[in-house]
Amino acid sequence: MNENYVRIFDTTLRDGEQAPGFSMNIEEKLRLAVQLERLGVDVIEAGFPAASPDDFASVEKIAKTVKRPEICGLARATESDISIAFEAVKKAKKPRIHTFIATSPIHMEFKLKKKPEEILDMAVKAVKHAKSLVGRVDFSPEDGGRSDPDFLVEVITAVIEEGADIINIPDTVGYLMPDEFGRLMEYLIKNVKNSKRAIFSTHCHDDLGLAVANSLAGVANGARQVECTVNGAGERAGNASLEEIVMTLKTREDFFSLKTGINTREIAPTSRLLSQITGQQVQANKAIVGKNAFAHESGIHQHGVLANRKTYEIIEPQDVGIEKSEIVLGKHSGRAALKKYLEELGYFLDEDKLTTVFHKFKRLADQKKQIEIADLDAIMIGEGTGIPKLWKLESFSVKSETTGVPQAMISLRNLKTGKRISAEHIGTGMVDAAYQCVAEISGDHGQLVEFAMDAVTAGIDAQAVVKVRIKDAEEHVFFGKAASADIVEASIEAYLDAVNKAVYRKTQRESDRS
């Protein structure tokens, strides 16, 4: 066992899916499981096979499909549950069974109505049966955080003797403080005489907002596996958030001296996939994956980040799969942020002109919560500095079919010469083919680095708004935007908008040189 490695046990498909609104069908679970494999989790708890035929089928399908992580099925401490779990995971390359029984006084008395000695006997028999079926067995004393530590020592010692490989300590109701959970983990590892034969694990809930802190306290005191979920999904207030655990260990490796096997660049894509499947979005200020996690509106912060990202960001957005930080324009924004945005729009102003525009921007920002690109364009047009267009879309024709290659024919008019120029291309899709036509006619003005589309109204006749960014060889970025009920037309016009700004910038620079 590598003492410097923390295993990531993902239970999004089991505990996460139990949360209201997070229910998934079999195909959706499989999509998420494949992404979790790409993310690099060590274990996927694919479900609770005895809970329903659908749960059994999804666990079985994941077990047959996903190869690198261990595939685990949850089971109560009964022979029937464990046998069903085995049937679901047995086709996995690395099958695993996770069995549990409650050990806290309140659960034993009111839920199970059993005495401690009966619980001990059930735990031992459950682990023994599971171990006869698979090579890897997890055991959890449910509500371990409110259990008697000495009774936990007795139960854990006994199940390790029967072959339990992982001992998972749940703070089932999120009751403990980090110091308490850390001390409990330390006490158990120290007092369970055969503790070196097992890996200790954490499973913490967020009822008091302490799931991540408690999990890290457990890790700091010897746990080498963390049970967690993507976006912190789970019962009630949720589970320990996978992305927060992983990025804390990565960012503060100087403190923990521990590593995980997670490909952190897949964190944001995994978070987005879960939100897409369930329709449950994370809150804006959610650490690591919230939309504001790498967004800055304060002028002081914006100036610092533009000068040196590390002034206000301890994580590089690219490290978690986010392209870049976002500078949000609002009433708190400063000159540095406004200048950056204007340059993306193709406006490169001297300091005097920037000062004039900045005052207008501030007055408008006091009236609006957030300034949009259209607002800046309106300010610049009011200043008599609207960007003149060189190229105008005259006509387009696109074609795509199941067995054919997508193709496009575009005609643009050069507004300076009046000449109409056409081009025809094939591509990976209709929009790609159209963009190749525009590039051939207007010249190569940079690489497409962003393409986004939204519908501004509902229904089949919704108007699409397309936003693009292109980056030239000098790393200047130009923003383009267009709207149309025709998606392809909106896409072409948005790209052409960005191209016209790039052309204007190039013309300005050539004029300055002469």
Side-chain angles (χ1 to χ4, degrees):
M1 182 176 73
N2 183 352
E3 285 295 327
N4 296 321
Y5 186 82
V6 176
R7 290 153 185 79
I8 299 300
F9 180 113
D10 183 274
T11 184
T12 307
L13 291 168
R14 199 277 300 171
D15 202 334
E17 203 235 356
Q18 290 175 194
F22 279 81
S23 183
M24 295 175 251
N25 62 36
I26 294 175
E27 292 307 316
E28 289 168 338
K29 289 181 179 180
L30 182 60
R31 281 177 63 200
L32 187 58
V34 169
Q35 177 59 31
L36 290 171
E37 180 176 35
R38 191 176 294 117
L39 178 63
V41 302
D42 299 279
V43 187
I44 296 175
E45 189 166 53
F48 191 166
S52 71
D54 184 78
D55 235 28
F56 180 95
S58 62
V59 174
E60 184 179 46
K61 189 162 189 176
I62 290 167
K64 291 177 179 177
T65 306
V66 178
K67 302 302 180 186
R68 195 198 62 78
E70 295 181 59
I71 305 301
C72 185
L74 184 70
R76 289 166 295 193
T78 65
E79 185 173 337
S80 61
D81 261 29
I82 291 167
S83 296
I84 292 170
F86 170 67
E87 289 300 316
V89 302
K90 67 181 182 182
K91 295 290 179 65
K93 187 175 181 180
K94 293 182 274 188
R96 184 161 166 171
I97 293 174
H98 178 191
T99 187
F100 70 98
I101 192 166
T103 54
S104 67
I106 191 169
H107 277 243
M108 288 190 290
E109 180 180 354
F110 293 100
K111 186 180 78 171
L112 299 177
K113 302 186 185 306
K114 293 187 182 295
K115 295 179 180 179
E117 53 268 27
E118 294 177 285
I119 297 297
L120 174 61
D121 183 59
M122 290 179 68
V124 167
K125 287 179 178 176
V127 170
K128 185 175 182 179
H129 180 50
K131 193 67 175 181
S132 72
L133 300 173
V134 294
R136 296 276 279 182
V137 175
D138 291 42
F139 173 76
S140 289
E142 186 187 3
D143 203 22
R146 295 190 295 174
S147 298
D148 174 61
D150 291 328
F151 182 53
L152 284 179
V153 168
E154 184 179 2
V155 173
I156 292 168
T157 301
V159 297
I160 291 176
E161 283 301 315
E162 293 299 332
D165 302 280
I166 294 90
I167 302 299
N168 180 58
I169 308 301
D171 184 19
T172 302
V173 292
Y175 179 75
L176 295 186
M177 296 295 105
D179 282 352
E180 290 178 302
F181 192 81
R183 287 198 303 270
L184 176 61
M185 186 65 67
E186 181 184 40
Y187 180 84
L188 295 175
I189 292 174
K190 182 178 178 181
N191 288 278
V192 171
K193 64 182 181 182
N194 50 7
S195 64
K196 292 187 182 300
R197 288 161 51 184
I199 295 169
F200 279 70
S201 173
T202 70
H203 179 104
C204 298
H205 278 264
D206 210 33
D207 297 71
L208 294 175
L210 297 170
V212 170
N214 283 340
S215 300
L216 293 170
V219 167
N221 284 278
R224 289 298 177 266
Q225 177 180 281
V226 175
E227 292 199 7
C228 49
T229 60
V230 176
N231 295 345
E235 292 274 7
R236 304 179 311 279
N239 286 46
S241 162
L242 180 150
E243 55 275 5
E244 293 176 30
I245 296 288
V246 168
M247 291 312 296
T248 298
L249 293 176
K250 178 181 175 70
T251 305
R252 294 307 311 275
E253 189 177 348
D254 62 316
F255 182 87
F256 288 97
S257 298
L258 298 170
K259 295 181 180 296
T260 71
I262 296 296
N263 175 4
T264 61
R265 290 178 180 267
E266 291 294 334
I267 285 177
T270 308
S271 170
R272 287 194 295 267
L273 178 60
L274 179 61
S275 292
Q276 176 193 336
I277 288 172
T278 62
Q280 302 291 325
Q281 302 299 317
V282 298
Q283 71 267 27
N285 64 331
K286 168 76 167 65
I288 315 301
V289 292
K291 71 175 186 178
N292 288 349
F294 297 96
H296 308 273
E297 184 183 328
S298 162
I300 295 171
H301 286 219
Q302 290 173 337
H303 184 267
V305 168
L306 290 171
N308 186 318
R309 180 195 60 79
K310 292 183 179 180
T311 52
Y312 289 102
E313 289 182 359
I314 60 172
I315 298 169
E316 290 195 25
Q318 295 84 357
D319 281 350
V320 297
I322 295 172
E323 182 187 345
K324 60 180 180 177
S325 304
E326 183 181 1
I327 301 298
V328 179
L329 291 183
K331 69 176 184 178
H332 303 107
S333 300
R335 288 169 61 96
L338 177 62
K339 182 180 180 183
K340 173 187 176 294
Y341 253 88
L342 289 172
E343 288 181 352
E344 282 199 12
L345 292 172
Y347 302 106
F348 295 82
L349 308 181
D350 60 32
E351 288 303 310
D352 289 342
K353 195 66 173 177
L354 179 61
T355 298
T356 301
V357 171
F358 181 65
H359 289 318
K360 288 190 174 185
F361 159 76
K362 277 293 191 179
R363 285 196 295 272
L364 182 60
D366 282 336
Q367 301 168 27
K368 298 186 66 175
K369 286 186 177 181
Q370 190 167 318
I371 300 297
E372 304 292 340
I373 298 299
D375 296 317
L376 295 181
D377 274 329
I379 291 173
M380 296 309 296
I381 290 170
E383 285 296 306
T385 55
I387 293 175
K389 292 183 178 180
L390 178 64
W391 297 103
K392 178 186 176 184
L393 177 64
E394 286 279 294
S395 66
F396 71 91
S397 173
V398 293
K399 180 181 178 182
S400 183
E401 53 189 26
T402 305
T403 57
V405 178
Q407 52 189 298
M409 186 174 73
I410 303 287
S411 292
L412 302 181
R413 186 171 297 279
N414 186 309
L415 297 178
K416 186 176 181 180
T417 65
K419 187 176 180 181
R420 175 179 168 137
I421 306 173
S422 300
E424 187 171 353
H425 271 279
I426 61 172
T428 57
M430 293 184 293
V431 172
D432 176 57
Y435 281 12
Q436 289 188 57
C437 293
V438 172
E440 179 184 323
I441 297 168
S442 66
D444 185 3
H445 295 289
Q447 176 188 5
L448 181 69
V449 293
E450 182 180 348
F451 178 96
M453 180 171 59
D454 295 302
V456 296
T457 56
I460 193 73
D461 58 348
Q463 181 163 289
V465 176
V466 176
K467 302 174 185 178
V468 302
R469 279 186 169 86
I470 60 175
K471 183 188 292 185
D472 67 15
E474 296 178 355
E475 298 293 305
H476 290 122
V477 178
F478 301 95
F479 177 86
K481 179 180 177 181
S484 173
D486 186 313
I487 292 171
V488 176
E489 182 179 18
S491 300
I492 297 169
E493 291 282 19
Y495 186 60
L496 203 54
D497 185 30
V499 166
N500 275 320
K501 289 167 183 173
V503 170
Y504 178 66
R505 164 62 174 164
K506 185 177 180 181
T507 303
Q508 273 190 318
R509 294 197 65 200
E510 290 172 351
S511 176
D512 291 343
R513 289 194 193 104
S514 61

